Amino acid sequence: MSATELISLVCCDLGAIVRGRSLPAPELGEHLHSGVSWVPANHALTPLGTLAEESPFDSLGDLRLVPDPQTHVRVEPDRQTSALEFVLCDILQTDGEQWDCCPRRFLREALAELRSQLGARLLASFEHEFQLLGTEAAPPAFSLEAQRRSEPFAAAVMAALTQAGVQPERFLCEYAPHQFEVPVAAAEGIAAADRAVVLREVVREVARRHELRVSFAALLDPSWPGNGVHIHLSLLDADGQTLMYDSRRPAGLSELAGRFAAGILRHSSALSALCAPSPVSAERLTPHRWSAGAACLGAANRETLLRIPSPITFAGRQPQTQTHLEYRGADATANPYLALGAIVRAGIQGVREELPAAAILDRDPSALEGAQASSYGVGALPASLEDSLLALQADRTVSGWLAPQLREVYLAIKRTELRAVADLDVDEICRRYAEIY
Ligand code: GLU
Ligand code: MG
């Protein structure tokens, strides 16, 4: 290993920007336990670059970024550039105590709650979409032509993700211009959200190496569908057996999973503030973009916030190993730990309150009127980030999951973003966010 290679100790901040500090790679060992210094005000930075107005953090305070060796990523160098090497970190106080605003802590506590309340473990995967920017006319969607034109980028993305331990499963040329999707294998617990952070950074690295510009922003062009992050979730018991499947029930979804879904739907407006948190995110979540047009549960339905993907029942495949929920309402402007932690907590709440299992919608939710819509439990998603922030504040249950300081700084960041783009039209906001994400 060359002494000039750097390794970065990083965390994913509240606006889903990965920030941190780099040191000579051979010195990692000296910093494994106590980490490197960090500053509370780093978590009051907005994605637009400025500090949040009304932030609880000022020039005071010290923290530590402490690496989790399980998350060590290395993508080998090529002829032009050095290796991409980083480790994801927890954010601790200088006495080693947990820090209230650490996103990994938030998810870890939600997973502990899942274990203690439901005796369950979580298996999850984040399915990302992204687009290349500034290229010529797009080839046909899903075409072999599109795949071949995306080479050698496509193969390099898959190779780099494999080196990074993300276990990519497929490379899809999606519907919107120059849009791609990379589903990855499910991982247990916090590793699923770690993979989301790693995937974005590795795709960005491969794009840089190919002199391409890539964006995971929720929406690049309001006349096209956007870039979703679909979160696939399964619950397992302590022996690793699924808690999601019951052959006697509609779509094979167990009562527990139906209640878990009902909890997510009940809190869906507030969840949007954490899962779809950029000023253009709500615009992506409108009908007929095949994202999520309404807050409801559907089987094999790409217009519903929660979907039960159809299990394969031939070639020796069994539905019990496949039946799960897909939350379609997130995007890559969301911090994956906050998004997943809040979804899990909402699901637990649905089970704890014994909510009736969510009804399963078999059609386009926008085709339903009043009474029919409410019989399926179809609700609207917030029309804007302002609305979802108001819903978060109004939903005492969801806002109660956030430590007071985390809630305060998160709202301060999001309000600062809204103020900064208040005079821009939607196309300009899309352009602005495309440059950041
Ligand atoms: N692009 C859609 C979204 O914004 C998802 C399309 C699909 O993969 O079903 O969520
Ligand atoms: Mg897709």
Side-chain angles (χ1 to χ4, degrees), residues 127 129 172 174 181 230:
E127 170 192 316
E129 292 172 330
L172 276 70
E174 257 280 3
E181 174 184 318
H230 300 177

PDB file of all heavy atoms in Angstrom, residues 127 129 172 174 181 230, ligand 2:
ATOM      1  N   GLU A 127     -33.299  -0.069  -3.374  1.00  0.00           N
ATOM      2  CA  GLU A 127     -33.163  -0.172  -4.833  1.00  0.00           C
ATOM      3  C   GLU A 127     -33.100   1.256  -5.381  1.00  0.00           C
ATOM      4  O   GLU A 127     -34.047   2.021  -5.264  1.00  0.00           O
ATOM      5  CB  GLU A 127     -34.411  -0.929  -5.314  1.00  0.00           C
ATOM      6  CG  GLU A 127     -34.660  -0.986  -6.761  1.00  0.00           C
ATOM      7  CD  GLU A 127     -36.087  -1.506  -7.013  1.00  0.00           C
ATOM      8  OE1 GLU A 127     -36.535  -2.480  -6.371  1.00  0.00           O
ATOM      9  OE2 GLU A 127     -36.772  -0.887  -7.845  1.00  0.00           O
ATOM     10  N   GLU A 129     -32.432   4.361  -8.209  1.00  0.00           N
ATOM     11  CA  GLU A 129     -32.423   4.824  -9.603  1.00  0.00           C
ATOM     12  C   GLU A 129     -31.567   6.087  -9.681  1.00  0.00           C
ATOM     13  O   GLU A 129     -31.500   6.859  -8.718  1.00  0.00           O
ATOM     14  CB  GLU A 129     -33.837   5.133 -10.087  1.00  0.00           C
ATOM     15  CG  GLU A 129     -34.684   3.879 -10.206  1.00  0.00           C
ATOM     16  CD  GLU A 129     -36.151   4.170 -10.502  1.00  0.00           C
ATOM     17  OE1 GLU A 129     -36.663   5.225 -10.086  1.00  0.00           O
ATOM     18  OE2 GLU A 129     -36.783   3.325 -11.138  1.00  0.00           O
ATOM     19  N   LEU A 172     -30.310  -2.121 -14.751  1.00  0.00           N
ATOM     20  CA  LEU A 172     -31.471  -1.883 -15.623  1.00  0.00           C
ATOM     21  C   LEU A 172     -31.335  -0.529 -16.300  1.00  0.00           C
ATOM     22  O   LEU A 172     -30.992   0.457 -15.634  1.00  0.00           O
ATOM     23  CB  LEU A 172     -32.759  -1.800 -14.795  1.00  0.00           C
ATOM     24  CG  LEU A 172     -33.500  -3.053 -14.381  1.00  0.00           C
ATOM     25  CD1 LEU A 172     -32.703  -3.817 -13.343  1.00  0.00           C
ATOM     26  CD2 LEU A 172     -34.845  -2.647 -13.800  1.00  0.00           C
ATOM     27  N   GLU A 174     -33.518   2.183 -17.279  1.00  0.00           N
ATOM     28  CA  GLU A 174     -34.894   2.494 -16.883  1.00  0.00           C
ATOM     29  C   GLU A 174     -35.609   3.401 -17.891  1.00  0.00           C
ATOM     30  O   GLU A 174     -35.083   3.715 -18.951  1.00  0.00           O
ATOM     31  CB  GLU A 174     -34.873   3.127 -15.485  1.00  0.00           C
ATOM     32  CG  GLU A 174     -35.303   2.173 -14.384  1.00  0.00           C
ATOM     33  CD  GLU A 174     -36.825   2.042 -14.289  1.00  0.00           C
ATOM     34  OE1 GLU A 174     -37.556   2.647 -15.117  1.00  0.00           O
ATOM     35  OE2 GLU A 174     -37.298   1.322 -13.377  1.00  0.00           O
ATOM     36  N   GLU A 181     -31.132   1.668 -12.970  1.00  0.00           N
ATOM     37  CA  GLU A 181     -31.534   1.177 -11.646  1.00  0.00           C
ATOM     38  C   GLU A 181     -30.630   0.011 -11.289  1.00  0.00           C
ATOM     39  O   GLU A 181     -30.355  -0.836 -12.133  1.00  0.00           O
ATOM     40  CB  GLU A 181     -32.992   0.717 -11.705  1.00  0.00           C
ATOM     41  CG  GLU A 181     -33.454   0.058 -10.431  1.00  0.00           C
ATOM     42  CD  GLU A 181     -34.882  -0.473 -10.534  1.00  0.00           C
ATOM     43  OE1 GLU A 181     -35.759   0.214 -11.089  1.00  0.00           O
ATOM     44  OE2 GLU A 181     -35.087  -1.602 -10.077  1.00  0.00           O
ATOM     45  N   HIS A 230     -36.477   2.597  -3.685  1.00  0.00           N
ATOM     46  CA  HIS A 230     -37.515   1.721  -3.145  1.00  0.00           C
ATOM     47  C   HIS A 230     -36.874   0.854  -2.061  1.00  0.00           C
ATOM     48  O   HIS A 230     -35.837   0.227  -2.291  1.00  0.00           O
ATOM     49  CB  HIS A 230     -38.111   0.851  -4.246  1.00  0.00           C
ATOM     50  CG  HIS A 230     -38.739   1.660  -5.345  1.00  0.00           C
ATOM     51  ND1 HIS A 230     -39.280   1.103  -6.471  1.00  0.00           N
ATOM     52  CD2 HIS A 230     -38.924   2.998  -5.480  1.00  0.00           C
ATOM     53  CE1 HIS A 230     -39.757   2.058  -7.259  1.00  0.00           C
ATOM     54  NE2 HIS A 230     -39.546   3.219  -6.677  1.00  0.00           N
TER      55      HIS A 230
HETATM   56 MG    MG B   2     -37.223   1.339 -11.348  1.00  0.00          MG
END
